[in-house]
Amino acid sequence: MLASTAMAQGDLQSVTAPNMVFENGYIQVVGESEAGQSRYRAKTAAKVIAQANLLSVVKGVTIAGTTTVQEGMLVDADIKTAVGGFLQGAMVVDEQFFPGEGYARVVMRLNLRGESSLYNSMASTLQQPPAALKVEKLPEFKPQAAAAPAPQPVTYDGLIIVVEGTGFKPALANRIIAENQNILFEPSKVSPQMLIERGCGGYTTTEIKAKTLLQSWGSTSPLVVKCVKVQKGTEAVVSVQDATVIFEQDQKSNILSQAKVVFVL
């Protein structure tokens, strides 16, 4: 019982650091009112504080490159509208009133993926980014005969990109780019429904966790690729040879359109 209680309390802590937000798939904040109030006033005040905390965290989420949601809201009306709608979907996952001190504590959560999520609200913007977001359009990757690797003995049905120690930042529109600056993966490559359900893939801290996550998506044989560098903070760059393998395996298994991609941070 003590272990269950500790786990429950842990689940109700703030989740605001970018890596944790993308790994968990949600933003979670705590709002506490001042002491010495009635139950109704304290709970109302705690919710207002939690909502303000949520907005602050959402604004700090990176969309692409170095552009945050806050910057996107300033330059694009559609993004501002989308974020406003997204905030309406905030859920109260716990609320408590402490009569002795007269204060309340409210825990609120917003999902990144799924229905009533940030990806759902911004799917069209991410797949066709406005010029104001300064997302550079790159040519699509096409393998060259001279760069073609030897045929792979197995068919891969998922992709793990190891970006550990590179300074890579999770974002709403992470991209995978070949060293020749051709694009392999970005939101436009993902089917609309999968973008809502999985975003630009998953984020975790070990290859074992990545394989477990992919397995839950139906992937049993993932390809593991280590990026050679990161550019603009959110773009994982892979070698042309690895890009060719990814391209060819995607032709067989639709890895990219289904967002069966996990970044190991």
Side-chain angles (χ1 to χ4, degrees):
M1 183 177 294
L2 289 175
S4 299
T5 301
M7 184 178 293
Q9 290 175 343
D11 289 343
L12 297 178
Q13 300 303 308
S14 296
V15 178
T16 58
N19 282 17
M20 290 299 297
V21 166
F22 279 88
E23 184 175 355
N24 288 8
Y26 58 80
I27 298 166
Q28 186 162 284
V29 299
V30 178
E32 290 189 356
S33 71
E34 293 183 355
Q37 302 187 66
S38 67
R39 178 186 297 269
Y40 175 78
R41 288 182 179 275
K43 285 189 174 183
T44 300
K47 286 180 182 178
V48 170
I49 293 170
Q51 289 167 342
N53 291 340
L54 279 175
L55 178 59
S56 177
V57 177
V58 171
K59 285 182 175 181
V61 170
T62 301
I63 298 177
T66 59
T67 303
T68 63
V69 169
Q70 181 173 20
E71 292 163 339
M73 291 172 65
L74 294 174
V75 298
D76 190 273
D78 289 339
I79 294 177
K80 185 175 182 179
T81 300
V83 171
F86 166 59
L87 290 170
Q88 297 301 312
M91 302 177 294
V92 174
V93 295
D94 186 64
E95 60 179 4
Q96 300 176 62
F97 176 68
F98 301 90
E101 297 84 359
Y103 80 95
R105 182 178 188 270
V106 172
V107 181
M108 298 189 77
R109 178 184 295 182
L110 282 167
N111 291 320
L112 287 190
R113 311 177 186 94
E115 299 302 321
S116 302
S117 70
L118 188 53
Y119 272 109
N120 193 9
S121 300
M122 294 186 62
S124 59
T125 298
L126 294 173
Q127 292 195 308
Q128 295 183 332
L133 288 185
K134 299 178 182 179
V135 177
E136 181 184 3
K137 291 185 178 180
L138 298 174
E140 293 191 13
F141 180 83
K142 295 290 175 61
Q144 299 176 357
Q152 299 299 307
V154 297
T155 296
Y156 297 102
D157 58 4
L159 176 61
I160 296 173
I161 300 291
V162 180
V163 295
E164 185 179 8
T166 63
F168 177 89
K169 295 191 303 182
L172 296 177
N174 283 122
R175 305 205 290 180
I176 302 173
I177 298 172
E179 280 189 295
N180 61 2
Q181 292 302 296
N182 286 182
I183 190 75
L184 266 170
F185 179 68
E186 62 181 356
S188 67
K189 303 290 186 183
V190 183
S191 71
Q193 187 57 41
M194 284 295 101
L195 185 65
I196 292 171
E197 290 183 14
R198 296 177 185 160
C200 274
Y203 304 82
T204 188
T205 54
T206 68
E207 286 187 32
I208 293 176
K209 290 181 180 179
K211 289 177 180 178
T212 300
L213 178 56
L214 283 168
Q215 191 171 23
S216 72
W217 296 343
S219 170
T220 58
S221 181
L223 171 67
V224 180
V225 172
K226 185 173 178 59
C227 79
V228 296
K229 65 177 181 178
V230 168
Q231 60 188 33
K232 299 181 181 178
T234 61
E235 299 177 345
V237 181
V238 299
S239 70
V240 171
Q241 184 173 10
D242 282 340
T244 300
V245 176
I246 294 170
F247 179 90
E248 292 181 348
Q249 293 300 311
D250 180 54
Q251 300 298 299
K252 299 176 183 178
S253 305
N254 297 317
I255 296 169
L256 304 181
S257 66
Q258 296 180 51
K260 289 185 177 181
V261 179
V262 179
F263 296 91
V264 176
L265 306 173

